[in-house]
Amino acid sequence: MMNIHKFIMPEIIFGNGAIDQVGNSCLRLGASNVLIVSDQGISEAGWLEAVMKSCEKAGLKYETFIDITVNPKDIEVDKGRDLYLQKECDAVIGIGGGSAIDAAKAIALLATNGGNIHDYEGVDKITHPLPPQVMIPTTAGSGSEVSQFSIILNTEQKKKMTIISKSLIPDIAIIDPETLVTKSAHLTASTGIDVLTHGIESYISLAATPLTDVYARNSIALVANNLRPSVASKLNKEAKTNMAMASLQAGIAFSNAILGAVHAMSHAVGGRYPILHGDVNSILLPHVMEFNLIANPPKFADIAYQLGVKACDMSHMEAGKTAIEFVKQLIHDVGAPTKLSEIDVKKEEIPQMSISALNDACMITNPRDVTVETIEELFRKAW
Amino acid sequence: MMNIHKFIMPEIIFGNGAIDQVGNSCLRLGASNVLIVSDQGISEAGWLEAVMKSCEKAGLKYETFIDITVNPKDIEVDKGRDLYLQKECDAVIGIGGGSAIDAAKAIALLATNGGNIHDYEGVDKITHPLPPQVMIPTTAGSGSEVSQFSIILNTEQKKKMTIISKSLIPDIAIIDPETLVTKSAHLTASTGIDVLTHGIESYISLAATPLTDVYARNSIALVANNLRPSVASKLNKEAKTNMAMASLQAGIAFSNAILGAVHAMSHAVGGRYPILHGDVNSILLPHVMEFNLIANPPKFADIAYQLGVKACDMSHMEAGKTAIEFVKQLIHDVGAPTKLSEIDVKKEEIPQMSISALNDACMITNPRDVTVETIEELFRKAW
């Protein structure tokens, strides 16, 4: 707390029906011709149309680009950039899960900074301002709508590149819980465990501050109370609204406090396999929590408290262990995967994945030191 | 929670020595010739010089304007605006308590919007973008460095005008706890109770949201634990840092959730008497809490919890009453005033002040309905 720390987030518009404000939001940012970046599923669910209508109402021209796939790829970003430049767009809307939003940000980045997306891997490589960006998450998971992160797959090297820069923080994030009702139970569970991972990793991160801690803690409590009901019913709007709020708060926390070993390792897996990011996190989270426990017993005890564990008579270490058991039970109850073997990850890839994880930007803030060997050991435990 | 709500805050730079970043922050916002707005006391404490040095280091031209007084006045704002235009400035730095920062914002407002500051009283009257604004609070009190408020005294009508607009949110807020060590114990107590009032009023405000609640609650806990030690010693840096954080978090909360009857009534008093804003709040807060208690017993019970009251066996109403007793004790312990008669407010002004309070923008979000009569009654109780 004594060091100088920085904290930044976009303007937030949150609530049922908020999606209708996207056109006016772009107008307010000076846009006239917007590139809307999304994916096939969002288009089929009707949310793309809602965005187009709002843009029309605001008198904006727009182009759509819906070729983004799960774990968005450098080649998709290139295509989007080409369309943006060819159509002379001047702003970007991203609507969808973390993949669509991360891709939208990467397109905005290339549009004004030029070069190849590979050039920007790492921290603070962006030199020119980005065009106005308005992001609309539809999964209550990635937090990308408020974060300074974009994760893009390097298709040649089969690895996820973590790009971190304040310039990637959108201007306006529009969170409309109504968009969550079209999600499957599996996707709800997977993205919900991703939110929990964001909350926990940012809370115990070496870069955590009092400004991020309040959101990290509250997001953990919101997930503990609302993820099961949200998975149980597509129509439980209260649970969906609370999960959207949890995702937002965890996103604000991790954008400023960064993450840890779960995400570093998860990026290494996601670079090689077309697997949902949240599913990998769900497998890795309990193992990494066990490993990280000794790095911050008081915060782990508070995680137990936020999860609703009656832990007031326990030592910090005991409470922390109870928190890990709670997380395992939650993962079990929502039907998320628990073993890498379940999702067909090959054991012989462990050494390569461990090296990738060690070099991932998210590993820097993990609260316990790691080596390639400790990462390999964690991957093996997660088999 | 079901309505659409908006949330916005500036970029934050927080920590000891952060004041040195003001020059670069202005540069980053495109400034070349900055107007530095402050007061005599800040100049004497040496903080103005620190800002000037940082501007010089960044290669910026600057002008200084240090004629701001407690409860900043329309005529001071006019003088600052004249200097800004005459010297062709292109950005504003405000350094000081709430008075200096509110005045700096008002100068920035007039610089690009023209007209008289009286024209902008109320909500959303600003039409043109403001020049870049960087604010540095030195009192851990007002929260103005993050808020969409500027409170300026109308000298002719002897009333405080509340100006509310997103445009008044600075671009960057720099919070350097080291600036707090030059504050007197009285000022520390007065501004600290102001922070507590921000936390409590924004938490029970009709416009509170889950995004503001986490900061409001945490700011209350930080004040409960750190205000007494901060008043006790000028050199207790940990307490000062925590009070700076409390002020920041309460400021983020009330900027987005607005305030209530304490501030509406306090503005009415401050419009007529040259009295510290925090001193008036300290007198009014317990009485308004008693009045507001039935409007939200569960949140009052949580306020008790945040204050550190062991209230788990109590009903919400009982816990709420205990919270009010705690606040009275805190005000007593730090030596803040408890009666309007103590600060020489005249009883015959009550009817006029009550009408002013009823029409103040802060009254709209008070959780319990008021009439002129109920406000008069509260003023009388505070005698």
Side-chain angles (χ1 to χ4, degrees), chain A residues 157-223:
Chain A
Q157 292 182 32
K158 286 191 183 171
K159 70 164 195 166
K160 282 192 167 183
M161 302 177 292
T162 298
I163 307 167
I164 305 183
S165 165
K166 273 198 309 198
S167 305
L168 292 173
I169 298 175
D171 297 282
I172 301 177
I174 298 178
I175 297 102
D176 188 339
E178 282 182 356
T179 61
L180 303 180
V181 299
T182 53
K183 272 181 19 172
S184 69
H186 174 207
L187 191 58
T188 302
S190 177
T191 53
I193 298 296
D194 192 23
V195 173
L196 181 65
T197 311
H198 293 156
I200 291 173
E201 292 214 282
S202 61
Y203 188 38
I204 59 171
S205 158
L206 292 178
T209 74
L211 285 170
T212 59
D213 281 352
V214 289
Y215 280 135
R217 298 172 77 211
N218 203 53
S219 72
I220 295 167
L222 284 169
V223 173

Side-chain angles (χ1 to χ4, degrees), chain A residues 1-9 11-18 21 28 166 210-211 214-215 218 241-242 245 248-249 305, chain B residues 1-9 11-18 21 28 166 210-211 214-215 218 241-242 245 248-249 305:
Chain A
M1 175 141 177
M2 283 300 157
N3 296 328
I4 292 175
H5 52 254
K6 303 191 178 187
F7 185 85
I8 181 167
M9 59 184 284
E11 181 180 336
I12 308 285
I13 303 176
F14 185 102
N16 290 322
Q21 304 203 10
R28 198 146 55 80
K166 273 198 309 198
L211 285 170
V214 289
Y215 280 135
N218 203 53
T241 301
N242 287 331
M245 182 53 71
L248 173 60
Q249 296 194 355
Y305 177 76
Chain B
M1 176 144 177
M2 282 302 157
N3 296 328
I4 292 175
H5 51 253
K6 303 192 176 185
F7 186 84
I8 180 166
M9 59 185 283
E11 181 179 338
I12 308 285
I13 304 176
F14 185 102
N16 290 321
Q21 303 203 13
R28 197 146 55 80
K166 275 200 308 200
L211 285 169
V214 289
Y215 280 137
N218 203 53
T241 302
N242 287 331
M245 182 52 75
L248 173 60
Q249 296 193 356
Y305 177 76

